[in-house]
Coordinates of all heavy atoms in Angstrom, one line a residue:
Chain X
S6 N 68.2 87.8 -51.0 CA 69.2 87.3 -50.1 C 69.4 88.4 -48.9 O 69.6 88.1 -47.8 CB 70.4 87.1 -50.8 OG 70.4 85.9 -51.6
Q15 N 67.7 90.4 -37.7 CA 66.7 91.1 -36.9 C 66.2 90.2 -35.8 O 66.1 90.5 -34.7 CB 65.6 91.6 -37.8 CG 64.6 92.4 -37.1 CD 63.4 92.8 -38.0 OE1 62.9 91.9 -38.8 NE2 63.0 94.1 -38.0
E16 N 65.9 89.0 -36.3 CA 65.4 88.0 -35.3 C 66.5 87.7 -34.1 O 66.1 87.6 -33.0 CB 65.0 86.7 -36.0 CG 64.4 85.7 -35.1 CD 64.1 84.4 -35.8 OE1 64.2 84.4 -37.1 OE2 63.8 83.4 -35.2
L18 N 68.8 89.7 -33.2 CA 69.0 90.9 -32.2 C 67.7 91.0 -31.3 O 67.8 91.4 -30.2 CB 69.2 92.1 -33.0 CG 70.5 92.2 -33.8 CD1 70.6 93.4 -34.7 CD2 71.7 92.1 -32.9
L22 N 68.6 90.8 -27.4 CA 68.5 92.1 -26.8 C 67.2 92.5 -26.2 O 67.0 93.5 -25.5 CB 69.0 93.3 -27.7 CG 70.4 93.0 -28.3 CD1 70.7 94.2 -29.3 CD2 71.5 92.9 -27.2
V29 N 64.7 97.4 -34.7 CA 65.9 96.9 -35.3 C 65.9 97.4 -36.8 O 65.4 96.6 -37.7 CB 66.0 95.4 -35.2 CG1 67.3 94.9 -35.8 CG2 65.9 94.9 -33.8
E42 N 75.1 95.5 -24.6 CA 76.2 95.6 -23.7 C 77.3 94.6 -24.2 O 77.0 93.7 -25.0 CB 75.8 95.3 -22.3 CG 74.9 96.2 -21.7 CD 74.5 96.0 -20.3 OE1 75.3 95.3 -19.6 OE2 73.5 96.5 -19.9
E54 N 75.7 82.5 -35.6 CA 76.4 81.2 -36.1 C 75.2 80.2 -36.4 O 75.3 79.5 -37.4 CB 77.3 80.7 -35.0 CG 78.6 81.3 -34.9 CD 79.6 80.5 -34.1 OE1 79.2 79.7 -33.4 OE2 80.8 80.8 -34.3
E62 N 84.9 83.5 -35.6 CA 86.0 83.3 -34.7 C 86.2 84.6 -33.8 O 85.6 85.6 -34.1 CB 87.4 83.2 -35.5 CG 87.4 82.0 -36.4 CD 87.2 80.7 -35.6 OE1 87.7 80.7 -34.5 OE2 86.6 79.7 -36.2
E65 N 86.5 88.4 -34.8 CA 86.2 88.6 -36.3 C 85.1 89.7 -36.4 O 85.2 90.5 -37.3 CB 85.7 87.2 -36.8 CG 85.8 87.0 -38.3 CD 85.4 85.6 -38.7 OE1 85.0 84.8 -37.9 OE2 85.4 85.5 -39.9
F67 N 84.3 91.8 -34.0 CA 84.7 93.0 -33.3 C 86.2 92.8 -32.9 O 86.5 92.2 -31.9 CB 83.8 93.3 -32.0 CG 84.0 94.6 -31.4 CD1 83.4 95.7 -32.0 CD2 84.8 94.8 -30.3 CE1 83.6 97.0 -31.5 CE2 84.9 96.0 -29.7 CZ 84.4 97.2 -30.3
G81 N 94.4 106.6 -26.3 CA 93.0 106.3 -26.4 C 92.4 106.4 -27.7 O 91.2 106.1 -28.0
K82 N 93.2 106.7 -28.8 CA 92.7 106.9 -30.1 C 93.5 105.9 -31.0 O 94.7 105.7 -30.9 CB 92.9 108.2 -30.7 CG 91.9 109.2 -30.0 CD 92.2 110.7 -30.5 CE 91.3 111.7 -29.9 NZ 90.0 111.6 -30.3
V83 N 92.8 105.3 -32.0 CA 93.4 104.4 -32.9 C 94.2 105.3 -33.9 O 93.7 106.2 -34.5 CB 92.3 103.6 -33.7 CG1 92.9 102.7 -34.7 CG2 91.5 102.7 -32.7
A86 N 97.9 103.4 -38.5 CA 98.2 102.0 -38.8 C 97.1 101.2 -38.2 O 96.6 100.2 -38.9 CB 99.5 101.7 -38.0
D106 N 86.6 110.5 -35.5 CA 87.0 110.6 -34.1 C 87.2 109.2 -33.6 O 86.4 108.5 -33.1 CB 85.8 111.2 -33.3 CG 86.1 111.3 -31.8 OD1 87.3 111.1 -31.5 OD2 85.2 111.5 -31.0
H127 N 79.3 89.1 -45.8 CA 80.7 88.9 -46.1 C 81.2 87.5 -45.7 O 81.9 86.8 -46.5 CB 81.5 89.9 -45.3 CG 82.9 89.8 -45.2 ND1 83.8 90.2 -46.3 CD2 83.8 89.3 -44.3 CE1 85.0 89.8 -45.9 NE2 85.1 89.4 -44.7
K128 N 80.6 87.0 -44.7 CA 81.0 85.6 -44.2 C 80.4 84.6 -45.2 O 81.1 83.6 -45.5 CB 80.4 85.3 -42.8 CG 81.1 86.0 -41.7 CD 82.5 85.5 -41.4 CE 82.4 84.1 -40.9 NZ 83.8 83.5 -40.6

Side-chain angles (χ1 to χ4, degrees):
Chain X
S6 291
Q15 185 182 45
E16 186 181 348
L18 294 175
L22 305 176
V29 186
E42 296 179 20
E54 282 197 343
E62 300 301 328
E65 202 175 358
F67 192 76
K82 289 180 184 285
V83 178
D106 181 11
H127 173 74
K128 287 289 292 181

